[in-house]
Amino acid sequence: MALLLAESSIPPFMWAVVRLLAAERKPLPTDRARALLAPPSLTEGKENKTFDQALRSLRELQMVAVDEGRLSLAGHASDLDGTDFPSFSCALRQAVLAGELNACLADDAGQTGSRDLTRILVWFLSRDPLDEPATWEIAQREQSIDLNPEAGTASRNDTRWNRFVHWAPALGLAAAPLLSSSGKGPLLPDCTAAVKQSVQRLWAVGERVNAVDAARTLRSALPVLPGGDYANALGIPDPGAQSAGPALSYALLRGEDEGWLVLQQDADAQRVLTLHDPDRPSHYVSDIVISEDQHG
């Protein structure tokens, strides 16, 4: 089942299930988990599908396994301790972007797994974070133009866009605009959180990485970025190996401003990465040094 359908869950409810299973630290009977998270006393006898939808979505993402009626964390969620939402966000993103759930991404016939969500993410992250926020009105106007015709349009109705508004920030790939904005579900393509988590997972504090190599590695970890495999498959223009593109540039510049990385420019460097920076039209970076996060 596609993740953006109304019958599927959204990350906040899925997080509740994962957190419960992580706190238990042992397989938990399904009925017991349902009773704890959706007690009949709160539903007043009405049918409540929230738990079952969350469980189904987690199983489709292979983050929860069921064995003889007992639930346990699996796959990318196996090592979660249940207290850290950023870790859940990272695990959820890895599950959503897994290759087996995104096979034949450019085929419009494929609407199962996470392909519908991945398609919108690819289009969304091709936009400049410094432009106006994306809304449902913009999405329905521009998606069919920007993506390969064979891929179709993932966000076929405002219901899917409304669910995307929950998914994209939870994956660390979007943020609400700071200023009020018109339109339905305004979102900025801010992938800073996902890039930060990827940087901290891939490299140690103090490590120096060539900027071109770092961009390639981050696109491999986040293939929905322009230049990544999923973006290429859907026809998004590749900024090139030595250009970061708007979304990745924005995250790297925020990373330096927040202090969890240092962007260095060596005048003698043979390979440099060009950043999309309106304040510095010729902003080149030769190396990235990973810094310790001072803000947690």
Side-chain angles (χ1 to χ4, degrees):
M1 179 180 293
L3 288 177
L4 296 182
L5 292 180
E7 296 79 9
S8 297
S9 189
I10 55 176
F13 299 139
M14 297 162 68
W15 168 229
V17 176
V18 167
R19 187 168 186 175
L20 173 63
L21 296 179
E24 289 292 322
R25 298 184 180 277
K26 60 182 180 181
L28 185 67
T30 304
D31 290 343
R32 173 65 174 161
R34 182 185 291 107
L36 288 170
L37 294 174
S41 59
L42 295 182
T43 59
E44 297 181 353
K46 298 179 182 178
E47 184 180 19
N48 189 329
K49 298 181 180 180
T50 303
F51 173 81
D52 293 316
Q53 290 172 338
L55 178 58
R56 182 170 61 242
S57 294
L58 287 166
R59 292 187 67 185
E60 289 177 353
L61 290 172
Q62 300 176 28
M63 297 179 72
V64 168
V66 181
D67 183 20
E68 297 183 350
R70 292 178 175 269
L71 308 179
S72 58
L73 296 180
H76 293 291
S78 297
D79 298 328
L80 296 181
D81 63 9
T83 62
D84 181 3
F85 183 82
S87 294
F88 169 72
S89 173
C90 185
L92 185 63
R93 184 174 61 252
Q94 290 177 282
V96 165
L97 299 181
E100 59 268 26
L101 295 182
N102 290 283
C104 302
L105 187 61
D107 181 0
D108 185 41
Q111 289 294 330
T112 58
S114 57
R115 283 178 285 189
D116 60 340
L117 175 55
T118 300
R119 289 190 186 109
I120 305 182
L121 285 170
V122 164
W123 167 80
F124 179 68
L125 291 167
S126 70
R127 298 177 56 82
D128 190 335
L130 299 180
D131 287 346
E132 64 176 323
T135 61
W136 161 238
E137 293 78 12
I138 291 175
Q140 63 180 325
R141 182 174 69 243
E142 297 182 6
Q143 270 195 102
S144 59
I145 298 174
D146 293 338
L147 298 179
N148 273 343
E150 295 82 1
T153 302
S155 186
R156 300 175 187 275
N157 51 58
D158 58 352
T159 297
R160 291 196 179 194
W161 180 260
N162 290 340
R163 302 183 80 77
F164 177 74
V165 169
H166 290 282
W167 272 97
L171 297 174
L173 296 169
L178 293 177
L179 301 177
S180 60
S181 179
S182 60
K184 182 176 294 185
L187 274 184
L188 290 172
D190 182 357
C191 61
T192 303
V195 169
K196 179 180 180 180
Q197 291 169 354
S198 299
V199 164
Q200 294 174 337
R201 179 172 56 88
L202 290 164
W203 299 294
V205 172
E207 189 169 353
R208 180 191 303 271
V209 187
N210 175 265
V212 174
D213 292 339
R216 182 182 67 249
T217 303
L218 288 170
R219 285 168 178 156
S220 178
L222 304 170
V224 287
L225 288 174
D229 287 347
Y230 295 167
N232 290 340
L234 291 173
I236 296 298
D238 188 338
Q242 294 186 287
S243 177
L248 181 54
S249 294
Y250 186 80
L252 294 176
L253 290 168
R254 274 197 60 185
E256 181 173 55
D257 185 62
E258 294 172 2
W260 45 271
L261 56 79
V262 177
L263 305 177
Q264 296 188 336
Q265 182 177 350
D266 183 351
D268 298 324
Q270 297 298 311
R271 293 188 304 155
V272 295
L273 183 71
T274 303
L275 298 184
H276 179 80
D277 185 355
D279 295 330
R280 292 176 59 183
S282 298
H283 193 163
Y284 304 104
V285 177
S286 60
D287 298 283
I288 296 175
V289 179
I290 314 305
S291 300
E292 186 174 359
D293 183 12
Q294 300 297 323
H295 305 287

